[in-house]
Amino acid sequence: MGKLYDELAKDYRLKEGLKTCINCGTCTAICPAAEFYKYDPRKIVDTVQRKDDAEIEALLKSDTIWYCGECMSCMTRCPRKNGAGLVIMALRNLSARLGYFTYSEKGRQLYPLTKIMTGNILKYGYCVYPETFKMEDHPEAGPVWEWHTQHLRDNMERLGANYQGKGPGILRKIPQESLDELKAIFDVTGGTERIETVEKYSRAKADEMGMSMDEYTTYTFKHCSEGHFNNED
Amino acid sequence: MIYQGKQKIWSEYQKEIPDDHWYYVRSCIRQNFFPASERMFTEITRNVLGKDIYETPSHTTCGGIAYHCDTIPQETVMTIVARQFALMTEAGYENYVASCITSFGNYAEILETWHEFPELETKIRELLWKACKKEFKKPKYLAHSSDLIYKFRGEIAAKGRFRLVDKETGEPLRIVEHIGCHYAKMFPHKGVGGAEYPCVLSGMIEAWGGQVIDYPERRHCCGYGFRQYHVQANRGYSLSNTHKKFESMEPYHPDAIITNCPGCPYFLDRWQYVIAEQTGKTYGRDGFGIPVFTYEELAGLVLGYDPWDLGLQLHQVAVEPFLDKIGIEYDPSAKYKGLDKKDILRPGLPQNLKCF
Ligand code: SF4
Ligand code: SF4
């Protein structure tokens, strides 16, 4: 493998997202992540454009690249038509490929996220699905949601959905041929390989931390150490 | 048409939206949280406006949320989208309407990237053929479902039973809009009014008799942040951003919020509940929250649909004070009933946020 920057430079999001950064800080000024997290997209873009592999490696192993919310507010405002959010996406992609995401707490969250998202897509054909959006993981969903999920079929029928039904409509059962096509797409485009890579490095990290995969999943999903936010030391 | 002067400047903020014949793709988030909004979209466009809106059961997620959670590579999301385009091509359509801002942004980003890097489009065509033996044409027009409601806002007002007006005072109701970041912040020319003057929702508010309320953090993100919400440990980010918006809009006393995005109405609704339960603070009057609506819900109310057919019982923030202001009739005892008035109990009540 070539230098880290060369790998990043192959990513179309970097081609689109990094022309020349003039270090003006407009992206940081508008960034919702910078307001709460110890996060400065200007510095990240600048680090990448300096092409210093040691610094890029440190970034790939850091919490920093996982603070962005990918809202892309920075793209609208950059006077040089960069997209700090796109640069972040390229960095995260490389961090996932190389297993560097397991070096940071926020990076390790990629494991439960991958399980939830790709699990839903491959099993149901949706990114989010009622069966896996559980009240115990989402207390903020409130008593209305609790009631709704307890009476899911009744409510879905009442509101005109076609929940798990045949034919078109809301939350219909996606035909098996379509799910098979999604799986084939994952197989030929690197989606399946990505799931396996994230799993492999996460298993090694869980071992190192002395946790079972279930413990690791819960821990990475729920645990937040002090020190990520601007108002913390 | 050749535009000159100010007309030329404004033309950059216009978006051509064809009148009819749309291939429709659904939103994962909205099907889960606002199923009746999607039903209203097809109800309004097909049955009220008489438009041809085609849907195939074979379409799937666009992969946008998984992509923005960084769990799938760019080639994967692009090929999922290429398959969606292939289904549109097979069905004989060229106008593509997505029911989701994340999807809409995803489609816009992919079409732009292919335009700039044609070799990538070629590669994705090969991957789609390898995986599914499918070929596709790119959509001639890409719209978000709110673009269509915006386009027909005048017809909806003309056919409407209600206006967004206080029935006691005759004053327009004060409405805040939230556009959703991926609608026009990435590719401003893809959205009505661009990133500077997005009028897709404000146009609806004005057409239906309401008053658009400006406030300092109007364009701030709702705080979804993809991984910043889906991972429980990160939800402080999501909550903090919503809190910032509510603190900023509070002095302007909005009667309601209208939203564009699938996630935004969920976050703006549920985080009000969390803020009330954690701190006791509520942003509406008399212990209520500020009700948050999708554009189909508001259109449905204007057209005189029963609020419980619109799914407003799935909101955590009570909508009744808003309905009362306009004078929309509703049966309180029918709110939490199933089909044919089946009794399916009712939700518990929050401690601090006033609900019915
Ligand atoms: S706004 Fe653009 S030019 Fe300015 S610091 Fe950010 S990326 Fe660099
Ligand atoms: S995309 Fe990321 S870096 Fe850009 S404004 Fe949003 S949170 Fe900040």
Side-chain angles (χ1 to χ4, degrees), chain A residues 11-13 15-16 19 30-37 66-73 75-77 86 88-89 92-93 96 105-110 112-118 121 125-131 133 136-145 147-148 151 154-161 166-175 177-182 184-186 188-192 194-195 219-224 229, chain B residues 26 28-33 35-36 38-39 55-61 63-76 79-80 83 87 109 112-113 116-117 119-120 127-128 130-132 134 181-182 184-188 195-196 219-221 224-237 240-241 244 266 270-271 273-274 306 308-311 313-316 334-340 342 344-350:
Chain A
D11 194 309
Y12 284 92
R13 288 161 294 193
K15 294 182 209 223
E16 267 187 294
K19 280 95 185 177
I30 201 158
C31 173
E35 187 154 346
F36 301 106
Y37 280 135
W66 303 99
Y67 289 145
C68 161
E70 297 190 11
C71 68
M72 304 298 165
S73 304
M75 253 177 105
T76 322
R77 292 284 167 248
L86 291 170
I88 286 287
M89 290 170 84
R92 288 174 173 183
N93 185 59
E105 178 180 302
K106 296 291 180 194
R108 288 192 282 275
Q109 296 169 340
L110 191 57
L113 262 180
T114 302
K115 274 183 61 157
I116 298 168
M117 290 295 153
T118 60
I121 293 179
Y126 298 91
C127 278
V128 179
Y129 199 66
E131 258 67 7
F133 194 91
E136 61 260 33
D137 296 332
H138 292 277
E140 75 288 347
V144 160
W145 183 256
W147 165 79
H148 171 61
H151 304 279
D154 278 312
N155 273 327
M156 285 297 179
E157 199 184 0
R158 160 79 182 90
L159 297 173
K166 277 195 179 158
I170 297 147
L171 285 177
R172 73 214 169 276
K173 179 168 173 29
I174 293 189
E177 312 88 80
S178 304
L179 293 177
D180 293 344
E181 290 187 349
L182 280 182
I185 289 173
F186 268 65
V188 305
T189 59
T192 306
R194 173 60 49 82
I195 297 169
Y219 187 75
T220 50
F221 185 72
K222 289 183 188 276
H223 180 72
C224 181
F229 290 101
Chain B
R26 294 187 180 277
C28 298
I29 298 258
R30 275 153 60 87
Q31 290 176 90
N32 275 271
F33 298 105
E38 288 211 345
R39 194 176 72 92
E55 179 199 359
T56 165
S58 305
H59 83 281
T60 65
T61 173
I65 293 177
Y67 174 62
H68 283 292
C69 284
D70 310 283
T71 62
I72 56 176
Q74 193 175 31
E75 286 81 358
T76 306
T79 314
I80 294 174
R83 179 183 174 277
L87 295 173
E109 181 190 337
E112 288 288 309
T113 310
E116 213 176 318
F117 305 101
E119 76 280 8
L120 186 56
L127 288 169
L128 181 70
K130 210 168 152 192
C132 308
K134 284 189 188 306
C181 296
H182 287 200
K185 283 186 183 174
M186 293 192 280
F187 303 103
E196 302 300 339
R219 300 285 169 238
H220 194 77
C221 174
Y224 177 20
F226 301 97
R227 69 181 342 264
Q228 316 303 354
Y229 173 73
H230 286 289
V231 176
Q232 192 170 358
N234 300 342
R235 282 184 204 145
Y237 170 107
S240 303
N241 279 298
K244 183 183 161 96
Y266 174 82
R270 294 314 203 274
W271 290 132
Y273 154 70
V274 172
D306 183 309
W308 315 140
D309 287 346
L310 298 173
Q313 62 274 41
L314 293 191
H315 295 204
Q316 187 60 62
K335 183 172 182 182
Y336 297 111
K337 293 282 193 262
L339 201 63
D340 301 325
K342 181 181 172 187
I344 50 170
L345 307 175
R346 50 187 301 129
L349 291 175

Side-chain angles (χ1 to χ4, degrees), chain A residues 17-18 20-28 41-43 45-46 74 77-84:
Chain A
L18 181 53
T20 308
C21 170
I22 55 168
N23 255 296
C24 64
T26 305
C27 50
T28 304
R42 175 190 64 85
K43 275 195 193 153
V45 173
D46 192 41
C74 48
R77 292 284 167 248
C78 173
R80 286 293 174 271
K81 301 259 177 278
N82 298 318

Side-chain angles (χ1 to χ4, degrees), chain B residues 292-320:
Chain B
V292 190
F293 296 101
T294 68
Y295 46 90
E296 292 107 331
E297 288 170 347
L298 217 50
L301 288 176
V302 166
L303 286 165
Y305 285 86
D306 183 309
W308 315 140
D309 287 346
L310 298 173
L312 303 185
Q313 62 274 41
L314 293 191
H315 295 204
Q316 187 60 62
V317 172
V319 297
E320 286 86 339

